[in-house]
Amino acid sequence: MKKSDYSGQLPPTYDKVSRHGVFPEPTHDETARFNFIASLNQHLAGVSAGNKVVYEKRLKPNFIKEHGRNFENRHEVHRALKKDPYWQTWSALRRNTMEMRQQAGRSVVLRQIDDLNGKAEKLNEGKPTLKLNSEIKSPRYASAVDIHCQVGGYHTELVEGDISVGANYDSGIFVTTTGGVGPGIDGGGRAVASSVKQKFTDFKPKRILDVGCTIGHNVLPIAQAYPDAEVIAIDAGAPVLRYGHARAQDLGVNNVTFIQADVENLDYEDGYFDWIQTTMFLHELSSKSIRRIMSELGRMLKPGGLLLQVEQPNYTPEMDLLEQAIRDWDCWYNNEPFWSKMHGMDTKEIMRMGGFSDDNYMEFKAAADTVDGDVTKPAKAIFEDHGREALWTVFGAWKS
Ligand SMILES: C[S@@+](CC[C@H](N)C(=O)[O-])C[C@H]1O[C@@H](n2cnc3c(N)ncnc32)[C@H](O)[C@@H]1O
């Protein structure tokens, strides 16, 4: 077998993840641990195929025998899966990889926290592009549980000037995504930036807003693609913003202002922004806050402006019920309380909440690197010959 024939079978290795000035540097053993967890994750993604066998051969026939009909929704499928030993084992292992990933990232970070906080402080010192506000509290829906097992959520500060939750987030994304987001963990941002550039050649945004930016890794490629634009990145959590700002400074991206604010209450005037972006944000919002936030985003967007949202695919009547139940795993076993409800929503309905007309609705797949401009085919992986980058689902609309 040639070396390239192995591609995709193992995730890329952690040493390929890009470093920057505040990146938590792992030891040899910590690197080995990250590699083990990433490989176990990839293995579990592969053997998830066994859930399909169990579903077709055991669960469906048993359900039909008992109820005289097939499954009608993902919740019925999940209730049946929950009783099956294959799902129980697979799901328990998967939960374990999340707990191990959080523990691994956190221990790497906390071991060197004073050093990391000091480096961030130096990069952030006196910069007008970081605006923190200690009056802002992380909303209840974003902080009541440790979302995806992330201890301390996005907001917890252990000491003054703390960046630990941001650093932990950065260090472990590679593991959860098995490298699918590229070495800079910014595949979503690169995919959106390159799609918008390719698709909308006349679009020249002057003011761009990214909401729920966390450590800003997905907004930097957008800021780099439009270097003359004023880019505002908002989050409620101070430690992720401190980390994200320091990271951006070290990477030399200076046109992004990181602001601590609640997206539900922003004081930008109506129509201030040309482009508003959310990336992997909606699924962590309660249904009530989605409504409020969509209305606020619709208000702040200029007529003729663009709102785009990157998310895992929402469920549609065409999507197989088993696939929906498997995609719902994060809700029931990974502390993502709003995941199922949000992914069960009609994306056009979400856009209507912001006042967007169905006539202006769009939906597309985006890839960071494309073959001959075809975004349905991600090109060779950024990680040498290892696997391929993720394809991103994007939906949104132009404002009339
Ligand atoms: C899943 S993360 C978003 C990830 C990030 N955009 C990315 O590209 O991967 C959700 C973020 O939204 C923030 N958030 C949630 N509700 C918010 C609100 N009302 N105002 C500001 N930030 C909020 C959280 O603090 C968290 O950092």
Side-chain angles (χ1 to χ4, degrees):
M1 204 187 259
K2 294 200 300 285
K3 185 178 170 221
S4 58
D5 293 335
Y6 289 100
S7 54
Q9 296 193 7
L10 278 176
T13 46
Y14 196 77
D15 57 303
K16 310 280 183 351
V17 176
S18 323
R19 290 350 191 209
H20 52 74
V22 276
F23 191 80
E25 200 50 57
T27 62
H28 170 277
D29 287 4
E30 288 164 345
T31 303
R33 196 170 180 211
F34 279 134
N35 283 332
F36 166 74
I37 306 169
S39 295
L40 180 56
N41 258 335
Q42 184 145 320
H43 175 69
L44 291 173
V47 298
S48 175
N51 286 313
K52 172 106 179 130
V53 177
V54 163
Y55 176 69
E56 296 295 346
K57 298 236 153 104
R58 273 206 294 264
L59 305 184
K60 228 192 230 180
N62 288 349
F63 188 91
I64 292 172
K65 204 158 141 202
E66 192 180 337
H67 299 273
R69 62 171 176 86
N70 204 341
F71 293 110
E72 279 175 357
N73 58 57
R74 66 186 184 279
H75 302 298
E76 287 183 350
V77 175
H78 177 226
R79 281 196 284 276
L81 283 167
K82 263 202 309 195
K83 294 188 194 129
D84 194 278
Y86 191 91
W87 172 272
Q88 289 168 354
T89 309
W90 176 80
S91 174
L93 283 167
R94 207 172 153 196
R95 165 76 185 204
N96 213 254
T97 65
M98 283 311 294
E99 291 182 5
M100 285 195 288
R101 169 264 169 272
Q102 292 299 344
Q103 200 186 3
R106 219 168 129 74
S107 62
V108 171
V109 169
L110 294 184
R111 174 176 63 65
Q112 53 190 307
I113 190 59
D114 291 342
D115 187 34
L116 292 175
N117 285 343
K119 285 179 180 165
E121 193 182 346
K122 223 181 226 169
L123 285 158
N124 291 338
E125 208 163 22
K127 299 275 164 50
T129 40
L130 176 64
K131 297 185 197 304
L132 299 181
N133 176 356
S134 57
E135 303 282 293
I136 300 294
K137 299 285 165 253
S138 187
R140 202 182 126 64
Y141 53 79
S143 53
V145 297
D146 286 341
I147 291 190
H148 44 69
C149 303
Q150 187 169 280
V151 179
Y154 299 99
H155 61 287
T156 300
E157 299 181 64
L158 303 174
V159 290
E160 206 179 314
D162 194 11
I163 59 162
S164 57
V165 295
N168 174 29
Y169 189 84
D170 197 11
S171 71
I173 292 184
F174 162 86
V175 169
T176 344
T177 59
T178 62
V181 294
I185 63 149
D186 56 358
R190 283 185 289 113
V192 167
S194 67
S195 294
V196 169
K197 279 245 150 175
Q198 283 175 44
K199 282 173 177 291
F200 312 123
T201 44
D202 294 338
F203 183 50
K204 308 265 184 269
K206 288 199 190 76
R207 289 174 181 153
I208 302 172
L209 173 68
D210 182 85
V211 295
C213 66
T214 313
I215 60 168
H217 51 293
N218 283 319
V219 72
L220 295 199
I222 295 174
Q224 285 169 310
Y226 295 94
D228 298 329
E230 171 196 3
V231 183
I232 309 282
I234 284 183
D235 204 282
V240 290
L241 290 169
R242 270 186 212 111
Y243 183 84
H245 181 264
R247 177 181 179 274
Q249 292 292 307
D250 189 70
L251 294 172
V253 185
N254 301 314
N255 59 330
V256 185
T257 301
F258 289 79
I259 301 179
Q260 186 178 14
D262 183 342
V263 178
E264 292 189 28
N265 289 303
L266 294 176
D267 51 13
Y268 294 99
E269 64 200 48
D270 295 2
Y272 188 79
F273 293 100
D274 302 292
W275 177 2
I276 299 181
Q277 178 65 36
T278 83
T279 299
M280 297 302 290
F281 172 63
L282 292 177
H283 69 265
E284 291 188 2
L285 304 179
S286 68
S287 313
K288 277 190 189 153
S289 62
I290 291 187
R291 191 166 288 281
R292 290 194 293 261
I293 288 173
M294 281 306 298
S295 149
E296 188 62 352
L297 302 187
R299 178 189 74 72
M300 291 185 294
L301 192 65
K302 197 187 242 174
L306 179 64
L307 172 55
L308 288 181
Q309 325 223 40
V310 169
E311 258 302 338
Q312 294 271 329
N314 273 34
Y315 313 144
T316 59
E318 294 73 45
M319 190 189 279
D320 179 61
L321 291 183
L322 175 67
E323 183 180 344
Q324 295 184 26
I326 292 177
R327 286 182 174 278
D328 249 14
W329 180 88
D330 287 273
C331 180
W332 311 115
Y333 307 100
N334 194 23
N335 296 10
E336 289 273 16
F338 308 109
W339 181 282
S340 181
K341 188 105 188 256
M342 183 267 142
H343 284 290
M345 290 166 85
D346 174 359
T347 46
K348 279 192 181 153
E349 178 52 28
I350 295 175
M351 294 307 296
R352 280 181 218 126
M353 292 173 191
F356 294 86
S357 146
D358 285 4
D359 295 341
N360 296 333
Y361 179 83
M362 68 180 89
E363 202 176 290
F364 57 90
K365 295 282 181 199
D369 296 281
T370 57
V371 177
D372 300 331
D374 180 351
V375 291
T376 62
K377 290 190 195 127
K380 67 173 173 36
I382 296 280
F383 284 110
E384 295 171 354
D385 63 349
H386 283 279
R388 285 175 183 278
E389 284 207 52
L391 258 186
W392 302 85
T393 302
V394 188
F395 70 92
W398 295 102
K399 180 169 167 177
S400 309

